[in-house]
Amino acid sequence: MASLLQLLFLLTLSCILLYSTKANETPQPYVVYMGSSTKINGEGDFEAAKLAHLRLLSSIIPSEESERVFLRHSYNHAFKGFSAMLTEKEASVLSGHDEIVSVFPDPILQLHTTRSWDFLEAESGMGSNHPYPHSSGDVIIGIVDTEISFNLLLYDCVGDWSVGIWPESPSFNDNGIGEIPSRWKGVCMEGSDFKKSDCNRKLIGARYYTIQYSSIGAKTGGNKTHAVKPAGSPRDFEGHGTHTASTAAGSTVLNASYYDLARGTAKGGSPSSRIAMYKACSITGCSGATILKAIEDAIKDGVDIISISIGMSSIFQSDFLNDPIAIASFHAHQMGVMVICSGGNDGPDPYTVVNSAPWIFTVAASNIDRAFQSMVVLGNGHAFQGYAINFSNLTRSKTYPLAFGGDVAAASTPVSEASNCYPGSLDSKKAFGKIIICVDADPAIPRRMKKLVAEAAGARGVILIDDAEKGVPLDSGVFPFSEVGDMAGLQMLKYINSTKNPMATILPAEEIPRFRPAPVVAYFSSRGPGGLTETILKPDATAPGVAILAATIPKSDIGSVPIGKNPSMFSLRSGTSMACPHVAGAAAFIKSVHPGWTASKIKSALMTTATTSNNMGKPLTNSSDSFASPHEMGAGQICPLKALNPGLVYETTTKDYLHFLCYYGYKEKLIRSMSGTNFSCPTTSFEDLISNLNYPSISISKLDRKRGSQTITRTVTNVGSKNSTYIATVQAPIGLVAKVSPNKLIFTDNLRTASFKVFFSSDGSTMGYKFGAVTWSDGLHFVRTVFVVNVV
Ligand SMILES: *[C@@H]1O[C@H](CO)[C@@H](O)[C@H](O)[C@H]1NC(C)=O
Ligand SMILES: *[C@@H]1O[C@H](CO)[C@@H](O)[C@H](O)[C@H]1NC(C)=O
Ligand SMILES: *[C@@H]1O[C@H](CO)[C@@H](O)[C@H](O)[C@H]1NC(C)=O
Ligand SMILES: *[C@@H]1O[C@H](CO)[C@@H](O)[C@H](O)[C@H]1NC(C)=O
Ligand SMILES: *[C@@H]1O[C@H](CO)[C@@H](O)[C@H](O)[C@H]1NC(C)=O
Ligand SMILES: *[C@@H]1O[C@H](CO)[C@@H](O)[C@H](O)[C@H]1NC(C)=O
Ligand SMILES: *[C@@H]1O[C@H](CO)[C@@H](O)[C@H](O)[C@H]1NC(C)=O
Ligand SMILES: CC(=O)N[C@H]1CO[C@H](CO)[C@@H](O)[C@@H]1O
């Protein structure tokens, strides 16, 4: 076995070596981004632009390889550019071209894989039966959804394919929903298993994409359309897209459950809104070039809000002009479309948050007030509360032999590997029929894999000792599984040592309602500060993303469906992927009540009304019981009902974002191409000025401990009663002085906006990140602006 693996490894290595020596000459998919397309109008121009792109390609591709003169994708609506097969050399020649903003290899992005809404409402203190104010059904949410990713691998979704939609789900019924808004220009694409009639007044659009891959090195006699068009369909074949779409805007479904767990009414955040699905990923992965196309289509079709649960890896983050999601969402914002993205599942390390451009609403994930416990009962009668979602058929009346992984190691396998339940590390003769205890000392082996390893060795069940991740229940299907903390784990190991025949059983999962504390920032949720700049606080806010019940495709995989049951139409999933559509749904809800509000008003409303306390009235925490910082939760957990009436909002304009690009250090020429105007950068441009952007939170990347000070300006717009007076209160941490001036803002019929300054200085005592907030209040509204200052 080992030798086979070694052989495979050597083979792979030699392939990589061979490949890298040829990498410069081997054509690869690239994205060529050419800025705003404001000058393109109508189909005639569109065709002309396409021809110009083809001419540009043929000017750099050698004539004997003319089969590569074709566009994998062509962008002409909100922005200009194309995707093509280029060599590294050709790409570098192109990037020097006058009209071109950036050229980058087409990245493969990763997936950031109902009661939750009631919880958000309860949290905002308004009760779950609050009658929604007249909400119109005119808001359209575009869901750009994806495919496989390695964070899914890390977070227990091995082989999790996502994308597309399952139209038969009860969450997409259109009972009681009015006519489709006339401004809608989208389509319902047909596929082998998807008909036009699968769309309705709820699911109003569905698109899928096929990428034209040029078979590398193949000569096909100049046939520009030689790439075989694969049979496509907007249909979801995994469940991720259906889950995210129904979370954002699913219709109300009574008595929904996941095999009796989490029973209740399932509904999206904005049940009256419409859904359009853009299936941007295929079984081969999720290409950045395709995401660009999907977002362009969504803008063109007329969506109001785009929800994207996809991102670059936090390790290989590109800068804003080389990141397809950042580029496309900039243009979406320019066209008045709000973009909401998951922040990633690479936590809890700092600098892991992705999708961190200021024009994106970046979402972290937290748990809701519901836990799933699977009791572990030892032979001596001691019971421990463990966590998992399982359909174990074991009972309290019968126990099974219990063993520590390290004690049932396969021959010539290190005990440390067997303790971790590494693949191939358990001796199936010794493990057979037993419940195996594993530890989690190596994050490279995800929980689901440990479960599979034990299952393959014939084990009867697995108890995993993992303090950090126990708050995110693993769905282990019918295989008995439970996850316990370090203390409980130690006692179990002691019990094994204390007796000759240790025994145990794992009981089926039970739901614990009204679980406290909640919310808690999820262990996996990616953390700030942002890796590209610390002058903008990211993530922006947190939303439910742990064990979220929403619609799925009926899957009948062996081991996932309890015996005697039909595959469930709902599932419980975890990830910032699940948190992102909660914000999209909340934004759609606000837009349906305030149709005239811009994306930045909605974002500000959601951020300044977010809560930083939990359902025990204490400050929100992270999964190791420390107070959660704004680098973990942004402004806090969103409260959609409060956000309807925020009092004051920060409006951030496209011009602010162009200034951001200047301060970040991009050349004025590139920013002009992006903006499509003769915009000029301010004469003084340096990164620290970004802190002055009119953003709904404040972040200062460095403040000298000795004599550092910085003054920040903000402008607020009154959206509450016309005559009102707001007073500021400052919550400043030790080591930092923060003063607001003026500390009183008066709004009248004619005076709707007001500016203020916040003066920050170090008191010289301590260094490190200082967190606090400025809160404006008129007695009715509390407009909380969180700040982060890094004292160095
Ligand atoms: C190009 O490829 C398409 C699709 O495979 C085929 O239908 C067409 O006949 C080919 N054209 C030429 C000139 O080879
Ligand atoms: C909900 O569904 C279950 C079976 O799926 C059924 O036993 C129960 O009576 C239903 N409850 C309501 C309130 O309809
Ligand atoms: C929780 O916060 C504390 C204090 O900031 C930090 O030390 C700890 O690593 C955090 N835990 C997790 C799981 O993020
Ligand atoms: C539990 O289910 C497994 C199959 O998943 C079966 O082999 C076993 O006999 C069942 N045990 C009991 C007690 O029903
Ligand atoms: C159990 O016994 C083994 C070997 O005797 C020892 O290494 C281990 O530390 C003991 N574990 C506990 C929890 O006492
Ligand atoms: C930009 O163009 C407008 C007219 O389109 C003109 O009025 C303005 O002066 C120009 N600004 C700069 C900085 O060139
Ligand atoms: C605001 O106050 C002014 C002056 O006191 C008054 O004329 C006006 O009617 C008030 N407006 C509202 C909306 O109350
Ligand atoms: C709480 C719950 O639904 N637990 C289930 C776990 O699985 C067993 C076996 O399928 C069910 O009987 C339990 O109801």
Side-chain angles (χ1 to χ4, degrees):
M1 187 65 186
S3 60
L4 182 64
L5 277 177
Q6 270 161 11
L7 186 66
L8 272 175
F9 176 71
L10 284 176
L11 273 174
T12 317
L13 192 68
S14 51
C15 287
I16 291 169
L17 288 175
L18 230 147
Y19 181 75
S20 56
T21 54
K22 294 196 115 190
N24 294 356
E25 303 139 48
T26 312
Q28 287 179 36
Y30 273 84
V31 173
V32 179
Y33 167 53
M34 304 168 76
S36 159
S37 66
T38 45
K39 290 185 198 95
I40 296 177
N41 293 305
E43 280 302 303
D45 277 7
F46 184 93
E47 286 308 314
K50 252 183 167 166
L51 265 177
H53 297 163
L54 284 169
R55 239 179 266 125
L56 184 60
L57 270 185
S58 59
S59 73
I60 57 149
I61 291 175
S63 56
E64 66 271 22
E65 291 181 43
S66 65
E67 83 275 4
R68 281 199 285 117
V69 182
F70 79 93
L71 307 173
R72 297 169 74 231
H73 284 296
S74 178
Y75 317 115
N76 294 297
H77 180 67
F79 46 92
K80 252 186 319 190
F82 56 89
S83 172
M85 301 298 292
L86 300 172
T87 64
E88 204 179 312
K89 223 165 122 195
E90 289 160 359
S92 119
V93 170
L94 262 186
S95 63
H97 205 276
D98 219 34
E99 294 169 69
I100 286 168
V101 176
S102 58
V103 179
F104 51 91
D106 182 4
I108 297 301
L109 284 80
Q110 39 178 315
L111 243 203
H112 293 153
T113 223
T114 330
R115 167 96 189 112
S116 50
W117 285 105
D118 294 339
F119 175 58
L120 282 176
E121 286 162 21
E123 272 283 286
S124 50
M126 301 196 187
S128 57
N129 293 322
H130 185 87
Y132 287 174
H134 355 270
S135 56
S136 92
D138 280 354
V139 179
I140 301 164
I141 306 178
I143 309 275
V144 177
D145 212 77
T146 79
E147 245 4 80
I148 191 167
S149 76
F150 79 78
N151 70 60
L152 279 179
L153 227 66
L154 276 175
Y155 292 98
D156 305 313
C157 302
V158 175
D160 210 353
W161 306 96
S162 134
V163 159
I165 198 144
W166 192 267
E168 294 82 4
S169 168
S171 292
F172 305 123
N173 82 62
D174 63 357
N175 295 341
I177 296 182
E179 285 303 307
I180 296 171
S182 56
R183 68 195 160 88
W184 176 244
K185 295 195 279 292
V187 297
C188 187
M189 283 170 72
E190 297 209 303
S192 50
D193 52 4
F194 200 96
K195 292 197 223 46
K196 274 210 161 53
S197 59
D198 284 329
C199 288
N200 58 18
R201 295 191 304 271
K202 161 61 73 180
L203 176 63
I204 62 173
R207 286 183 189 265
Y208 65 91
Y209 298 88
T210 50
I211 300 188
Q212 313 216 311
Y213 279 104
S214 172
S215 44
I216 291 171
K219 297 253 168 25
T220 49
N223 189 341
K224 282 180 196 157
T225 57
H226 70 283
V228 184
K229 203 174 177 189
S233 162
R235 181 170 292 273
D236 191 351
F237 50 93
E238 187 278 337
H240 188 271
T242 300
H243 201 279
T244 53
S246 65
T247 298
S251 299
T252 301
V253 180
L254 301 173
N255 202 17
S257 78
Y258 182 53
Y259 303 115
D260 293 340
L261 284 175
R263 184 172 291 286
T265 300
K267 68 170 192 272
S270 183
S272 66
S273 292
R274 324 295 178 133
I275 296 168
M277 173 57 74
Y278 299 84
K279 180 176 166 183
C281 308
S282 71
I283 203 148
T284 52
C286 198
S287 114
T290 308
I291 293 172
L292 274 167
K293 189 68 196 166
I295 298 177
E296 180 182 71
D297 282 341
I299 297 169
K300 194 162 68 179
D301 290 346
V303 307
D304 300 296
I305 292 162
I306 297 176
S307 174
I308 308 175
S309 292
I310 310 168
M312 304 273 253
S313 148
S314 62
I315 303 160
F316 306 107
Q317 255 193 89
S318 313
D319 71 282
F320 305 107
L321 296 193
N322 288 287
D323 172 347
I325 294 181
I327 291 170
S329 52
F330 173 85
H331 292 291
H333 182 274
Q334 215 178 15
M335 314 286 274
V337 177
M338 181 169 188
V339 180
I340 295 147
C341 297
S342 46
N345 301 341
D346 293 342
D349 291 337
Y351 299 105
T352 45
V353 64
V354 299
N355 292 328
S356 61
W359 47 84
I360 292 174
F361 194 125
T362 315
V363 189
S366 45
N367 74 341
I368 59 171
D369 61 341
R370 177 170 65 201
F372 297 95
Q373 78 165 13
S374 297
M375 290 287 266
V376 176
V377 184
L378 301 184
N380 63 8
H382 282 174
F384 296 89
Q385 185 172 325
Y387 297 89
I389 298 164
N390 83 101
F391 304 103
S392 154
N393 61 358
L394 309 188
T395 60
R396 205 180 257 270
S397 52
K398 184 172 183 333
T399 55
Y400 298 83
L402 177 69
F404 181 52
D407 295 339
V408 293
S412 72
T413 299
V415 168
S416 64
E417 290 192 4
S419 316
N420 264 291
C421 290
Y422 268 56
S425 68
L426 301 180
D427 183 338
S428 47
K429 283 202 195 73
K430 294 182 194 159
F432 189 84
K434 294 190 176 129
I435 290 177
I436 306 296
I437 298 184
C438 313
V439 295
D440 189 41
D442 182 353
I445 309 295
R447 301 183 289 189
R448 186 171 296 281
M449 196 173 287
K450 293 181 202 283
K451 178 216 146 201
L452 291 172
V453 167
E455 209 173 0
R460 200 69 192 78
V462 165
I463 299 166
L464 177 61
I465 305 174
D466 181 358
D467 232 359
E469 257 194 302
K470 67 181 197 298
V472 182
L474 174 76
D475 182 350
S476 67
V478 296
F479 187 71
F481 181 94
S482 186
E483 198 158 354
V484 298
D486 293 345
M487 296 303 288
L490 185 66
Q491 289 187 51
M492 290 181 195
L493 294 179
K494 277 194 180 144
Y495 163 73
I496 290 182
N497 277 5
S498 74
T499 173
K500 215 158 163 203
N501 292 312
M503 304 289 282
T505 184
I506 302 173
L507 302 182
E510 281 177 83
E511 179 183 340
I512 310 175
R514 292 176 294 281
F515 183 79
R516 304 200 304 170
V520 170
V521 177
Y523 178 78
F524 60 75
S525 185
S526 286
R527 308 302 210 259
L532 298 178
T533 179
E534 291 197 25
T535 52
I536 292 283
L537 174 64
K538 288 286 170 173
D540 290 305
T542 186
V546 175
I548 299 303
L549 180 79
T552 189
I553 65 173
K555 262 192 295 198
S556 48
D557 308 352
I558 295 159
S560 68
V561 181
I563 294 154
K565 306 243 177 174
N566 291 323
S568 178
M569 292 299 276
F570 290 86
S571 70
L572 291 161
R573 290 182 183 225
S574 301
T576 51
S577 276
M578 281 67 238
C580 173
H582 274 91
V583 175
F589 169 55
I590 295 169
K591 181 117 186 145
S592 70
V593 178
H594 301 295
W597 280 19
T598 59
S600 80
K601 273 188 179 163
I602 295 173
K603 177 173 176 174
S604 174
L606 283 166
M607 284 173 69
T608 62
T609 59
T611 180
T612 56
S613 48
N614 62 26
N615 59 0
M616 298 165 77
K618 302 252 168 59
L620 229 146
T621 55
N622 68 16
S623 57
S624 44
D625 293 333
S626 298
F627 293 156
S629 81
H631 284 149
E632 303 184 278
M633 62 171 176
Q637 171 108 335
I638 59 162
C639 299
L641 284 174
K642 274 194 197 166
L644 281 181
N645 191 8
L648 308 177
V649 292
Y650 295 92
E651 291 189 87
T652 322
T653 62
T654 301
K655 196 169 168 200
D656 288 322
Y657 295 135
L658 294 174
H659 283 157
F660 165 84
L661 294 167
C662 299
Y663 300 154
Y664 186 73
Y666 292 116
K667 291 203 186 81
E668 187 179 74
K669 182 178 145 272
L670 301 184
I671 303 170
R672 278 194 182 171
S673 298
M674 260 185 108
S675 75
T677 66
N678 63 359
F679 164 86
S680 299
C681 279
T683 43
T684 39
S685 275
F686 53 94
E687 197 181 342
D688 285 349
L689 288 174
I690 295 172
S691 304
N692 250 341
L693 209 71
N694 204 39
Y695 205 74
S697 61
I698 296 170
S699 184
I700 293 177
S701 64
K702 25 184 193 321
L703 191 73
D704 193 287
R705 180 170 71 97
K706 290 284 160 49
R707 29 171 208 291
S709 72
Q710 195 167 333
T711 304
I712 298 298
T713 309
R714 287 287 187 275
T715 301
V716 281
T717 304
N718 181 18
V719 292
S721 7
K722 293 215 165 109
N723 289 334
S724 45
T725 302
Y726 280 80
I727 309 283
T729 50
V730 180
Q731 190 194 333
I734 294 163
L736 191 74
V737 178
K739 289 195 190 117
V740 180
S741 163
N743 66 358
K744 189 188 212 182
L745 298 177
I746 298 171
F747 299 93
T748 63
D749 280 0
N750 301 321
L751 198 60
R752 289 182 53 251
T753 65
S755 296
F756 64 93
K757 289 186 191 313
V758 191
F759 175 82
F760 292 101
S761 63
S762 162
D763 71 5
S765 63
T766 55
M767 301 205 289
Y769 289 105
K770 309 291 173 194
F771 307 109
V774 173
T775 304
W776 288 100
S777 180
D778 61 351
L780 281 174
H781 305 95
F782 294 87
V783 187
R784 187 172 181 278
T785 310
V786 64
F787 63 73
V788 176
V789 178
N790 186 15
V791 177
V792 294

